[in-house]
């Protein structure tokens, strides 16, 4: 589904279908009235019939003729001014209904509906992101593809002024491209998406978008003394990788922002083996990696004026004859030693060495993204990602970026008091802190390595994918990250 803007008045536009918003169950917007006038009041008449429920997302098809053969009236809810939720429900309902019609091109006037506290650009971005979400398919591993084509193929958004609106649509399109990439990587199973595959994908993206790519192998990790990362890879026959991508949009002098993503391509738990039910979902344990690669794609496509480094430590977590055992003590790249009491708490082990490694780029700000703890799902469910940061300013930036683009995070505590739970009699720290506040002690563990820069940690265990009938990667938090970086680029 491709989106574009056009400044032609809606009444004169040619398309297979038009999505026309209806406010408070009866009222048309300016563009809707224009179309209605051209078609002899047919829309107003349909609305008087009372056949369109006011509920946001309800639709009513009106057959017209000439250069606009169909209109889909789309209810925006009972209020004249829609809430964000009513608006997004209406966009979803409208685009899905349009997809049932034999029209390849649609025009959408839905952004003419007023939304409390939101401007036109926000409404344009929302339509692009929702449309692309509806259009997403993951069929690369099926021999028989869905014969139904994705419709509408093209959506034209009539706007008053081309410049600002076109930028908004371009931003949302780049973000959607990043989201699609993150979904594709997340959905690809562990036998296809190995650390080597992730590294090759990163290199391919680097060639396509002119990024610098470097991939470290086990030998180089050894030389850097990344004992924590290597301890996770020990049980696997797949070689681990440390992927580094660098984008320079702001000149060589400016210090970069860095994103670090957890890339466990399959998490069996290791010797602390996970139970069988739903273990397949642990192919999604590289969604942090996928999201930072997706955010990099959006940034590079938009040529943002920032410098960005993406670091992805990636390995499988497997049991095996050489696998790390509970009680083993390893030395991290930082020099700090870790008693591994549970080999299933592996995310923090690969991230801690990446957080030390990233110091060499002298970043101002580092955000790590990880499907880190089941405890975060218990705490927050599937709506907000967990946000942990010692910096109020950085936490606020990330919260605002997420809220603005419908990819929210909720700040969790990170007080000193929780650090006690990580005490070990045999090493500088243990890799687990017991049952209480499991997502907090995981973040506390990472905080011991995140030194020399402003740092935030996003626990996406509850938001990176959906379970059940609609199982699949969500692409979150690519929108949050990209929106955060867009704001940084604006300065
Ligand atoms: N990848 C998991 C976290 C996870 C579990 C995400 C379920 C989403 C759904 C992580 O590596 C893990 O296993 N964490 C353990 C930590 C525990 C051993 C302290 C967990 O959450 O159970
Ligand atoms: Mn685990
Ligand atoms: Zn894991």
């Amino acid at each position: 589904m491709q989106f574009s803007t056009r400044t032609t008045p809606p009444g004169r536009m040619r398309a297979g279908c038009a999505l026309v918003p209806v406010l408070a169950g009866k009222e048309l917007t300016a563009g809707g009235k224009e179309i209605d006038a051209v078609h002899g009041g047919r829309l107003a008449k349909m609305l008087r019939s009372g056949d369109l429920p006011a509920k946001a997302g309800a639709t009513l098809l009106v057959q017209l003729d000439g250069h606009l053969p169909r209109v889909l009236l789309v209810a925006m809810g009972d209020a004249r001014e829609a809430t964000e939720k009513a608006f997004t429900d209406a966009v979803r309902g409208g685009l899905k209904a349009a997809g049932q019609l034999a029209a390849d091109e649609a025009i959408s006037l839905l952004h003419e509906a007023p939304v409390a506290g939101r401007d036109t650009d926000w409404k344009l971005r929302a339509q692009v992101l929702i449309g692309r979400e509806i259009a997403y398919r993951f069929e690369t591993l099926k021999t028989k593809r869905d014969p139904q084509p994705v419709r509408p193929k093209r959506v034209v958004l009539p706007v008053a002024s081309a410049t600002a609106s076109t930028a908004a649509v371009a931003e949302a399109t780049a973000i959607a491209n990043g989201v699609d990439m993150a979904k594709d990587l997340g959905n690809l199973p562990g036998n296809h998406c190995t650390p080597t595959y992730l590294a090759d994908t990163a290199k391919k993206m680097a060639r396509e978008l002119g990024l610098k790519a470097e991939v470290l192998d086990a030998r180089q990790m050894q030389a850097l003394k990344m004992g924590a990362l290597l301890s996770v890879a020990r049980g696997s026959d797949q070689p681990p990788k440390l992927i580094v991508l660098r984008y320079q949009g702001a000149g060589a002098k400016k210090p970069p922002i860095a994103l670090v993503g957890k890339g466990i391509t399959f998490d069996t738990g290791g010797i602390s083996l996970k139970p069988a039910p739903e273990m397949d979902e642990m192919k999604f344990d590289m969604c942090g990696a996928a999201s930072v690669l997706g955010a990099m794609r959006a940034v590079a496509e938009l040529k943002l004026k920032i410098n960005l480094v993406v670091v992805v430590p990636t390995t499988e977590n497997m049991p095996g004859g050489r696998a790390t055992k509970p009680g083993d003590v390893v030395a991290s790249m930082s020099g700090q030693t870790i008693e591994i009491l549970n080999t299933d708490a592996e995310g923090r082990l690969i991230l801690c060495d990446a957080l030390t490694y990233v110091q060499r780029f002298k970043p101002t700000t580092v955000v790590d993204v990880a499907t880190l703890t089941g405890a975060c799902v218990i705490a927050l469910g599937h709506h907000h990602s967990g946000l942990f940061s010692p910096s109020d300013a950085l936490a606020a930036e990330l919260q605002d970026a997420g809220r603005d683009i419908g990819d929210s995070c909720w700040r969790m505590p990170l007080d000193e008091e929780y650090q006690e739970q990580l005490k070990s009699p045999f090493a500088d720290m243990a890799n687990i802190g017991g049952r209480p506040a499991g997502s907090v002690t995981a973040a506390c563990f990472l905080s011991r390595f995140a030194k020399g820069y402003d740092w935030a940690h996003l626990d996406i265990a509850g938001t990176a994918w959906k379970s059940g009938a609609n199982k699949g990667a969500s692409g979150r938090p690519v929108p949050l990250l990209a929106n955060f970086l867009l704001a940084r680029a604006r300065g």
Side-chain angles (χ1 to χ4, degrees):
M1 205 180 287
Q2 278 188 343
F3 286 81
S4 60
T5 56
R6 222 175 277 168
T7 49
T8 319
R12 294 222 304 270
M13 286 175 88
R14 179 178 291 278
C17 170
L19 299 178
V20 171
V22 176
L23 315 179
K26 54 181 191 296
E27 196 182 325
L28 292 169
T29 55
K33 285 180 185 154
E34 233 181 83
I35 293 174
D36 194 36
V38 176
H39 292 273
R42 291 281 309 281
L43 301 185
K45 192 172 164 199
M46 273 309 266
L47 286 176
R48 281 195 299 273
S49 75
D51 289 344
L52 179 69
K55 189 177 161 53
T59 61
L60 183 60
L61 180 65
V62 187
Q63 300 282 352
L64 300 176
D65 42 44
H67 62 286
L68 189 62
R70 308 175 193 83
V71 158
L72 263 174
L73 294 168
V74 183
M76 307 304 296
D78 352 82
R80 254 213 94 257
E81 189 177 55
T83 58
E84 283 180 27
K85 169 134 187 349
F87 183 77
T88 53
D89 284 351
V91 170
R92 201 166 276 116
L95 286 172
K96 278 196 175 157
Q100 301 304 307
L101 306 172
D104 284 338
E105 185 167 68
I107 64 176
S108 171
L109 307 184
L110 297 183
H111 48 283
E112 288 193 350
V115 177
R118 295 301 188 183
D119 60 10
T120 303
D121 282 0
W122 184 90
K123 292 182 275 185
L124 295 174
R125 279 195 294 264
Q127 289 180 87
V128 175
L129 289 169
I130 292 167
R132 291 284 301 270
E133 184 189 309
I134 292 170
Y136 179 80
R137 301 277 182 283
F138 183 74
E139 299 184 316
T140 47
L141 303 177
K142 292 192 177 187
T143 55
K144 291 185 198 69
R145 311 248 165 126
D146 186 350
Q148 206 74 337
V150 175
R151 284 204 177 111
K153 286 186 184 141
R154 294 176 299 280
V155 180
V156 177
L157 304 162
V159 291
S161 113
T163 38
S165 308
T166 307
V169 170
E171 282 170 16
T173 300
I175 293 171
N177 293 344
V179 167
D180 281 5
M181 178 186 185
K183 285 182 181 174
D184 282 348
L185 287 171
N187 288 331
L188 203 61
N191 63 325
H192 291 260
C193 184
T194 59
T196 304
Y197 179 89
L198 270 188
D200 290 345
T201 305
K203 284 193 232 164
K204 200 169 132 210
M205 177 169 79
R207 279 195 298 277
E208 183 196 333
L209 295 169
L211 314 170
K212 283 192 204 134
E214 198 182 350
V215 176
L216 309 194
D217 61 17
R219 209 174 37 83
Q220 291 164 295
M221 294 173 201
Q222 203 78 257
L224 288 162
K225 300 195 157 68
M226 294 181 159
L229 169 52
L230 285 164
S231 76
V232 178
R234 288 184 61 89
S236 170
D237 286 345
Q238 289 290 339
K241 305 283 175 190
L242 186 84
I243 304 166
V244 183
L245 289 182
R246 291 208 269 168
Y247 165 81
Q248 209 170 81
K253 291 229 175 64
K254 198 157 189 238
I257 302 164
L259 301 177
V260 176
K262 172 179 173 182
I264 296 290
T265 59
F266 197 84
D267 183 11
T268 66
I271 295 299
S272 313
L273 192 63
K274 286 183 181 294
E278 277 107 55
M279 208 213 272
D280 66 292
E281 297 190 6
M282 284 299 114
K283 72 172 183 178
F284 295 119
D285 212 18
M286 35 55 69
C287 282
S291 74
V292 299
L293 292 172
M296 176 59 102
R297 168 169 289 281
V299 165
E301 282 188 10
L302 290 169
K303 303 191 167 65
L304 294 192
K305 292 195 168 65
I306 55 166
N307 293 335
L308 180 65
V309 180
V310 158
V311 175
V312 170
T314 174
T315 172
E316 288 182 332
N317 184 25
M318 299 285 283
R322 294 169 205 272
T324 294
K325 303 168 290 299
D328 286 0
V329 174
V330 299
S332 65
M333 183 182 178
S334 72
Q336 300 175 89
T337 58
I338 304 160
E339 184 187 16
I340 300 175
L341 288 175
N342 190 320
T343 63
D344 198 10
E346 85 298 339
R348 62 198 79 181
L349 295 173
I350 69 168
L351 289 168
C352 72
D353 280 344
L355 288 170
T356 302
Y357 180 79
V358 78
Q359 288 166 350
R360 68 183 49 211
F361 303 110
K362 306 210 164 16
T364 52
T365 305
V366 178
V367 180
D368 79 69
V369 189
T371 48
L372 203 65
T373 64
C376 192
V377 190
I378 302 302
L380 295 176
H382 303 285
H383 302 293
H384 304 291
S385 301
L387 167 66
F388 302 80
S389 180
S391 160
D392 292 344
L394 178 56
E397 268 184 279
L398 290 163
Q399 282 173 303
D400 290 348
R403 204 179 299 119
D404 179 63
I405 203 152
D407 182 10
S408 60
C409 57
W410 193 268
R411 191 165 180 194
M412 300 278 284
L414 194 64
D415 309 55
E416 259 326 288
E417 283 87 336
Y418 292 97
Q419 295 280 358
E420 267 176 48
Q421 286 173 240
L422 294 172
K423 270 195 187 149
S424 159
F426 300 112
D428 296 341
M429 71 195 85
N431 78 324
I432 54 171
R435 299 249 304 154
S439 66
V440 183
T441 52
C444 284
F445 181 95
L446 296 178
S447 75
R448 297 176 178 220
F449 301 85
K451 301 293 179 195
Y453 43 72
D454 273 348
W455 166 73
H457 157 61
L458 288 167
D459 193 332
I460 58 166
T463 53
W465 74 89
K466 286 191 175 70
S467 307
N470 297 318
K471 192 185 286 183
S474 66
R476 291 179 67 181
V478 172
L480 182 165
L481 295 171
N483 209 26
F484 161 70
L485 296 168
L486 271 161
R488 282 282 176 109
R490 285 187 203 106

